Amino acid sequence: MSAVMMDGKTLAAKIRRDIREKCAAMRRPPSLAVVLVGDDPASAVYVRNKEHDCAECGITCADHRLPASATQQELLALVDRLNRDAAVDGILVQLPLPLHLDAQQVLRAIDPGKDVDAFHPENVGRLLLGQPQYLPCTPSGIMELLRAYDISPAGKRCVVIGRSNIVGKPMAMLLLQADATVTVCHSKTPDLQSHCLQADILVSAVGHAGLITADMVKEGAVVIDVAMNRGQDGKLCGDVDYAAASEKAAYITPVPGGVGPMTRAMLMKNTYLAAQRRRNG
Ligand code: NAP
């Protein structure tokens, strides 16, 4: 069997076009404030990508840069100003923050109605209760990708590897709410292979190139590779041995071009939703 490649890049482009049309119909375009502290090169690239996506979708994007030496108070004051600014619909604080700053306190300070990353405890709690106002971008992008390929998690055995707050835990929650039977694995899980072999849908979000080999993939499974690693050749790759796993899986996401573009598209969707919600009072 050779798996169908789940093309997140093309689907994300379609979603951006849809959002562009919706934004164009608004009297004032949605606006996203992106806060970047310090000069981490990877974060700078992520912020540039967000600016690019916003431009394509017709969303106003304002960058707020603070030096790496910024204090917690300075950062909180900026978040407070953006919370109160009626012209700002969505706020995103680019993570990771420099080590001397308390990221959790900063995330808690964002107005939950403007929290387009859905990392505020109120939005995390709403997700857990099945009453979300925003869905976290990476797991919701994966759910959109599954929908686009007519893959329903209902009644399926799903295995999520990774239990981070931004990917693993909310992914498990969304699959559970879609009526899957979900197992969450992590670094202390013994015999990862036996769990993976049970998976009709396998989601790997670890950050360890080559972790998922073909002998961990069930015949006909759907394999979602969230990770973004640099291989020994310097190229971007995921956790999964793509070529070998493709011989066993029915569907598989590539890296790059799978989950990554969907994550970016979901941020645009959340920003549009934030603007729409605020316009409707
Ligand atoms: P993270 O916070 O470092 O979490 C990694 C998880 O993997 C942890 O729960 C860890 O377990 C688990 N783990 C580590 N080694 C393992 C092993 N040998 N076997 C099983 N589980 C293991 O990372 P993250 O933020 O969730 O990101 C995960 C990956 O996804 C990274 O490569 C990141 O770059 C990528 N990512 C991609 C996107 C995208 O849009 N494509 C978005 C976000 C993240 P413990 O909890 O026990 O430590």
Side-chain angles (χ1 to χ4, degrees):
M1 180 187 297
S2 191
V4 173
M5 185 194 78
M6 300 175 82
D7 183 354
K9 192 173 169 196
T10 301
L11 179 59
K14 179 183 176 299
I15 292 169
R16 288 197 302 275
R17 278 196 303 277
D18 291 349
I19 294 171
R20 183 183 178 83
E21 267 177 36
K22 288 180 177 150
C23 290
M26 294 176 113
R27 260 193 301 163
R28 178 169 68 76
S31 93
L32 175 66
V34 178
V35 176
L36 178 59
V37 185
D39 34 33
D40 176 52
S43 293
V45 171
Y46 293 142
V47 167
R48 245 195 336 269
N49 288 342
K50 283 162 190 162
E51 289 168 347
H52 181 270
D53 292 344
C54 283
E56 196 183 326
C57 292
I59 292 172
T60 308
C61 184
D63 246 11
H64 299 268
R65 295 190 184 231
L66 293 177
S69 59
T71 64
Q72 185 80 4
Q73 284 66 32
E74 285 168 333
L75 180 52
L76 289 173
L78 172 57
V79 170
D80 183 52
R81 185 161 65 75
L82 297 171
N83 281 342
R84 291 160 193 261
D85 187 341
V88 172
D89 296 306
I91 302 171
L92 180 146
V93 176
Q94 184 65 49
L95 300 177
L97 292 174
L99 287 175
H100 67 282
L101 297 173
D102 178 350
Q104 288 309 316
Q105 188 189 31
V106 174
L107 295 179
R108 280 198 302 275
I110 297 172
D111 175 346
K114 295 187 177 187
D115 172 36
V116 286
D117 255 342
F119 292 163
H120 187 284
E122 179 177 320
N123 286 320
V124 176
R126 280 172 161 273
L127 173 65
L128 192 77
L129 295 170
Q131 300 159 3
Q133 63 175 342
Y134 302 115
L135 292 173
C137 298
T138 300
S140 68
I142 291 169
M143 296 304 282
E144 291 261 355
L145 203 48
L146 291 174
R147 261 192 296 279
Y149 284 85
D150 278 328
I151 299 164
S152 166
K156 303 258 168 61
R157 278 174 182 263
C158 298
V159 173
V160 178
I161 316 174
R163 55 173 165 179
S164 70
N165 290 335
I166 63 167
V167 187
K169 283 183 202 164
M171 184 75 252
M173 207 44 60
L174 288 183
L175 289 168
L176 187 63
Q177 283 163 10
D179 296 331
T181 302
V182 184
T183 302
V184 181
C185 299
H186 47 78
S187 69
K188 309 290 187 294
T189 302
D191 195 4
L192 184 63
Q193 182 183 28
S194 69
H195 291 283
C196 292
L197 282 172
Q198 301 277 317
D200 301 312
I201 300 177
L202 178 65
V203 181
S204 188
V206 173
H208 186 323
L211 179 74
I212 307 300
T213 46
D215 59 358
M216 298 168 84
V217 174
K218 180 176 161 178
E219 201 74 43
V222 177
V223 178
I224 308 288
D225 195 350
V226 182
M228 289 191 296
N229 309 306
R230 287 277 160 208
Q232 282 171 346
D233 53 3
K235 286 191 185 151
L236 203 60
C237 65
D239 290 339
V240 180
D241 178 348
Y242 182 88
S246 296
E247 294 303 315
K248 289 183 81 183
Y251 295 87
I252 188 166
T253 61
V255 179
V259 176
M262 292 303 295
T263 298
R264 287 169 56 180
M266 292 303 101
L267 176 67
M268 298 300 104
K269 182 177 172 182
N270 281 351
T271 306
Y272 163 72
L273 287 175
Q276 193 194 37
R277 199 166 280 139
R278 286 163 50 75
R279 307 293 191 279
N280 294 338

